[in-house]
Amino acid sequence: MAGEDVNMSQAIISVKNLVKVYTMGDVEVHALRGVSVDIRKGDFAAIMGRSGSGKSTFMNIIGCLDVPTRGKYMLDGVDISMLSKDQLANLRNLKIGFVFQSFNLLSRTSALENVELPLMYNRKISSKEMRNRSMKAMESVGLANRADHMPNQLSGGEQQRVAIARSLVNDPVVILADEPTGNLDTRTSIEVMDIFQRLNEQGISIVIVTHEADIAAFTKRNITFRDGKIIREVEIDKPRNAREELIQMPVAIEEDEL
Amino acid sequence: MKLKNLLIAAIRSLAKNKMRTFLTMLGIIIGVASVIAMIAIGQGSKKSIQDQISTLGTNVLMIWPQASNTGGVRMEAGTSQKMTIDDVNIIIDRCPSVAAITPQVRTSGQLVAGNLNWRTSVFGVYPTYFDIRNLKLESGSVFTMNDDRSASKVCVIGQTVVTNLFGANADPIGNFIRINKIPFKIIGITETKGQNAYGQDQDDMVIAPFSTVQKRMLAITYIQSMLASAQTEALIPVASQEITEVLKAKHHLGPSEDPDFTIRTQTDIAQMATSTSAIMTILLATIASISLLVGGIGIMNIMLVSVTERTREIGIRMSVGARGSDVLLQFLIEALMISLLGGVIGIVLGIVISQLIATVLNWPVNITMNSILMSFLFSSAIGIFFGWYPARKAARLNPIDALRYE
């Protein structure tokens, strides 16, 4: 029992018997039917499954965008089932970074200002610190020189990197990425996975949702959903290495583009 | 979210849509500017009417005898011969609220000077008349009570009389004119007063000592009317009351009997005239307020469209930690900024338009601090009122649905 307790304290996300039921008129939709899983500090996990398998509902709940119907969810030691809407917003601000499939950057707003966004809702941060931290986040995704660009002046891969910088800037306990490579071509997808791998090496915990097995292969752990339940959990012994693959790729891709 | 950050966020999103922001603001600008200009015109005309009335003297009371009644035949007002100089003296003695009083007799006379002649009114009054009527002299001096006692043949004449008998810019002081064949020495000329509120030329008259006109010209023993001034404007009703009591007692009338004289004050006339222009001001301001209201509805309309259009943005903000109240405040501040900035521009524009009307059209305008303050408060109230509903709508969005919104 003692050993389990230590494991529990290391788990930044701890979910037990999570159930989510949507009521649409007379019909009850069981999106989650009892999900239990722990995400530990430094984890890099991929949530897999077909559409309708409940993986998006699961992400919404662990992202504090939604609350479970039943079950317990501890985020960084806090039981979220007791929290108000405003407290959930606070948790999203301080503990979670989101990356979306469609980037979701504010249009006609510079990359740097997009990255600043989470800090604007943090009362404790001065505007000077806001600038510094945002620039640092932009540097860590390799876009420091594009800080003043508008999203429509950036490529898809660059936009997603800005989104990753935004998710990083508040120093969250976990980054949640929902199909982060869904709108990107193969090479750009690998570039994005490279950034995730580098961030994970620095100790940042990351959970991504994907339906592509070859993207999931970059992570350390694959969790597969079907019909609102986890049907398989696999530890990946030897994940794909995005950095090495990128070194070998460029020539071939450039020929394709021609 | 810190207020400073909220302001930054609001400014950024307003700056993103400059044209739309400006057009939304335009409704408020036009509304506020028209409210200010309209009230300025209304107040200006009210003030000019008040000024005109005050040329008659502001705290003046006119006392007329009642119509005479000879064997059942009633004559026109002021024809009674019961009012005498004793009435004037008793008012001087017994009415403390009355500052000055003069009897008044009036006749018309044919004026002759050299080869020119002119017909005008001749007033017989005490020297106090000049104080009561607020009448100043251009040159020369006023006759004295000694002149009155001796019924001296001296007179003060108005500018119109000077122009018609001696030509413009002449200085006829010391000259003689004949009024109904009686020679009078000109000792003073009144300052130009222009027309009064009823279009009467106030400079077309001759003023002579009371006794001179009463005895030498009219040969009567009664007086036609009295003109009195109250100590202050506020004391007019008191003075009126005192005069009524004193005169009724003197004329042996019981307290329940109707007086045999009428007292009219300037306030009655002034009130009537200014209430007309007050109604006009209200009318103009109402029309202008409607345009302000339409401007407010414009804000609500644009904000509602903006909330729908920015649903995804709201979702993004919520996902990075914006609370419902942060979103509400941001939209409210945007609406408030539009209305306040529009209000300030509108105030400036309103003042400029008012000044233009004053200089180009030569209309009297009077910009009051009240109208500026009122339209400023009104436009910020509009911002909050019409911004509230769209802002609340934005704040109540569910972040998951908002993020999915296309």
Side-chain angles (χ1 to χ4, degrees):
Chain A
M1 282 301 281
E4 226 181 276
D5 276 340
V6 172
N7 270 344
M8 285 293 288
S9 69
Q10 282 179 337
I12 48 170
I13 289 175
S14 172
V15 161
K16 279 227 164 63
N17 290 320
L18 215 57
V19 173
K20 181 71 187 180
V21 183
Y22 294 108
T23 316
M24 292 178 163
D26 298 335
V27 189
E28 285 196 339
V29 180
H30 292 261
L32 294 178
R33 304 163 186 263
V35 173
S36 299
V37 72
D38 281 359
I39 308 287
R40 291 172 298 273
K41 191 163 170 46
D43 230 343
F44 188 6
I47 311 282
M48 303 186 59
R50 293 186 204 135
S51 50
S53 61
K55 60 185 196 305
S56 289
T57 305
F58 178 72
M59 279 295 261
N60 284 340
I61 290 172
I62 62 172
C64 298
L65 289 169
D66 208 347
V67 284
T69 312
R70 279 192 300 278
K72 198 175 177 188
Y73 169 31
M74 302 282 287
L75 171 65
D76 204 22
V78 181
D79 185 355
I80 73 136
S81 52
M82 310 304 266
L83 300 182
S84 69
K85 268 188 167 180
D86 282 357
Q87 286 170 316
L88 286 178
N90 245 347
L91 275 189
R92 288 200 295 274
N93 184 241
L94 298 173
K95 307 220 164 176
I96 291 165
F98 284 102
V99 176
F100 303 95
Q101 177 174 1
S102 49
F103 323 134
N104 275 343
L105 299 179
L106 296 187
S107 61
R108 284 194 263 174
T109 304
S110 77
L112 190 67
E113 281 170 11
N114 263 295
V115 174
E116 277 177 358
L117 199 62
L119 297 178
M120 292 195 73
Y121 294 97
N122 188 334
R123 287 165 185 279
K124 288 172 188 151
I125 287 178
S126 69
S127 34
K128 200 180 158 200
E129 198 184 346
M130 196 153 91
R131 252 314 103 120
N132 288 342
R133 278 171 74 165
S134 309
M135 268 321 279
K136 237 177 86 187
M138 288 293 278
E139 277 162 27
S140 67
V141 297
L143 282 178
N145 56 340
R146 298 289 176 99
D148 294 330
H149 285 54
M150 298 292 155
N152 59 358
Q153 297 169 313
L154 299 170
S155 71
E158 285 169 332
Q159 288 188 50
Q160 193 61 299
R161 276 147 73 188
V162 173
I164 294 170
R166 180 179 65 192
S167 73
L168 276 177
V169 76
N170 237 354
D171 203 11
V173 294
V174 64
I175 291 177
L176 301 178
D178 191 358
E179 302 270 11
T181 59
N183 284 9
L184 302 173
D185 60 50
T186 317
R187 187 192 156 82
T188 322
S189 297
I190 297 173
E191 281 174 2
V192 166
M193 292 316 290
D194 174 40
I195 289 171
F196 279 134
Q197 282 187 334
R198 284 166 194 263
L199 294 172
N200 184 241
E201 278 164 25
Q202 292 164 26
I204 297 171
S205 318
I206 299 166
V207 178
I208 69 170
V209 167
T210 182
H211 62 272
E212 294 168 82
D214 50 341
I215 292 296
F218 286 101
T219 66
K220 293 177 184 168
R221 187 178 169 200
N222 290 0
I223 301 163
T224 310
F225 275 65
R226 184 184 289 169
D227 297 333
K229 282 180 184 164
I230 294 175
I231 54 162
R232 195 171 56 218
E233 263 195 84
V234 192
E235 301 282 335
I236 310 286
D237 296 331
K238 207 171 163 15
R240 287 172 69 184
N241 187 322
R243 209 174 315 170
E244 282 173 12
E245 287 184 26
L246 280 173
I247 293 166
Q248 290 159 12
M249 268 180 100
V251 186
I253 290 298
E254 272 168 26
E255 275 173 6
D256 276 2
E257 281 176 351
L258 284 172
Chain B
M1 197 177 189
K2 279 194 277 192
L3 189 66
K4 189 183 142 203
N5 291 348
L6 269 173
L7 288 174
I8 293 170
I11 290 167
R12 276 178 187 170
S13 58
L14 288 180
K16 264 199 262 181
N17 279 305
K18 287 194 190 70
M19 192 62 184
R20 174 199 280 181
T21 305
F22 173 71
L23 288 175
T24 314
M25 224 180 261
L26 203 58
I28 296 293
I29 293 174
I30 292 171
V32 170
S34 54
V35 165
I36 292 203
M38 292 299 170
I39 291 179
I41 291 169
Q43 293 287 326
S45 70
K46 189 169 153 190
K47 193 162 179 288
S48 82
I49 290 169
Q50 276 172 340
D51 287 350
Q52 276 186 17
I53 287 164
S54 72
T55 60
L56 299 168
T58 42
N59 46 356
V60 174
L61 299 104
M62 284 174 277
I63 304 132
W64 304 83
Q66 215 52 308
S68 63
N69 188 335
T70 318
V73 181
R74 294 166 70 187
M75 304 299 284
E76 61 188 302
T79 52
S80 163
Q81 303 185 359
K82 280 184 190 158
M83 201 173 265
T84 65
I85 198 71
D86 294 339
D87 290 337
V88 175
N89 293 333
I90 201 165
I91 289 171
I92 294 173
D93 285 348
R94 304 232 180 118
C95 298
S97 301
V98 174
I101 188 161
T102 173
Q104 197 168 232
V105 284
R106 175 185 179 168
T107 182
S108 63
Q110 198 69 29
L111 280 53
V112 180
N115 60 345
L116 293 169
N117 72 95
W118 182 249
R119 191 171 182 85
T120 189
S121 299
V122 180
F123 289 88
V125 291
Y126 279 175
T128 47
Y129 178 81
F130 291 88
D131 299 328
I132 296 168
R133 287 282 318 269
N134 198 19
L135 208 57
K136 292 185 180 65
L137 291 194
E138 177 88 35
S139 58
S141 58
V142 178
F143 46 82
T144 62
M145 280 308 281
N146 279 333
D147 290 323
D148 184 72
R149 262 170 239 131
S150 58
S152 304
K153 288 174 275 182
V154 292
C155 68
V156 173
I157 59 175
Q159 282 294 341
T160 308
V161 178
V162 174
T163 310
N164 282 292
L165 290 182
F166 300 96
N169 302 322
D171 183 13
I173 285 181
N175 287 15
F176 282 86
I177 51 170
R178 298 168 80 82
I179 305 175
N180 294 347
K181 296 180 184 158
I182 306 165
F184 277 79
K185 189 184 181 187
I186 301 168
I187 58 166
I189 297 165
T190 58
E191 248 180 20
T192 308
K193 269 200 141 182
Q195 295 184 349
N196 67 9
Y198 308 104
Q200 229 169 18
D201 182 358
Q202 298 181 86
D203 302 319
D204 187 9
M205 60 176 179
V206 174
I207 303 164
F210 165 70
S211 305
T212 315
V213 178
Q214 191 203 27
K215 293 185 178 127
R216 288 186 193 273
M217 295 184 74
L218 285 165
I220 52 174
T221 53
Y222 58 92
I223 62 172
Q224 288 167 344
S225 64
M226 289 184 261
L227 209 59
S229 65
Q231 296 282 7
T232 64
E233 223 173 316
L235 279 175
I236 288 175
V238 181
S240 172
Q241 183 65 30
E242 286 173 358
I243 293 169
T244 308
E245 281 167 14
V246 166
L247 285 188
K248 272 172 91 172
K250 173 136 193 312
H251 292 181
H252 310 294
L253 296 167
S256 57
E257 279 178 277
D258 286 335
D260 58 352
F261 53 90
T262 316
I263 301 177
R264 255 198 285 162
T265 61
Q266 292 289 349
T267 37
D268 299 341
I269 301 164
Q271 265 171 10
M272 200 173 67
T274 52
S275 76
T276 315
S277 74
I279 288 168
M280 194 175 79
T281 308
I282 291 168
L283 197 74
L284 290 174
T286 309
I287 294 167
S289 302
I290 289 169
S291 70
L292 198 54
L293 198 70
V294 172
I297 293 168
I299 289 186
M300 178 143 94
N301 190 9
I302 294 293
M303 292 308 289
L304 273 175
V305 172
S306 175
V307 167
T308 311
E309 196 189 78
R310 288 157 65 188
T311 301
R312 220 185 160 89
E313 177 195 325
I314 295 161
I316 296 167
R317 288 183 183 276
M318 284 178 161
S319 75
V320 300
R323 302 179 195 174
S325 58
D326 293 330
V327 173
L328 182 108
L329 269 176
Q330 185 188 335
F331 276 84
L332 209 53
I333 286 174
E334 280 180 29
L336 201 58
M337 274 182 166
I338 289 176
S339 61
L340 280 188
L341 200 59
V344 170
I345 297 173
I347 286 168
V348 173
L349 196 69
I351 292 170
V352 169
I353 289 172
S354 305
Q355 298 298 348
L356 256 147
I357 287 169
T359 49
V360 177
L361 296 178
N362 225 354
W363 286 9
V365 299
N366 182 23
I367 302 162
T368 57
M369 203 59 216
N370 269 353
S371 68
I372 292 175
L373 217 67
M374 199 189 76
S375 37
F376 189 74
L377 289 179
F378 198 49
S379 59
S380 44
I382 275 178
I384 294 172
F385 183 78
F386 289 106
W388 183 262
Y389 176 70
R392 205 190 52 165
K393 200 176 161 210
R396 287 194 174 176
L397 285 173
N398 175 355
I400 299 170
D401 297 337
L403 276 170
R404 233 180 262 148
Y405 186 84
E406 289 298 330

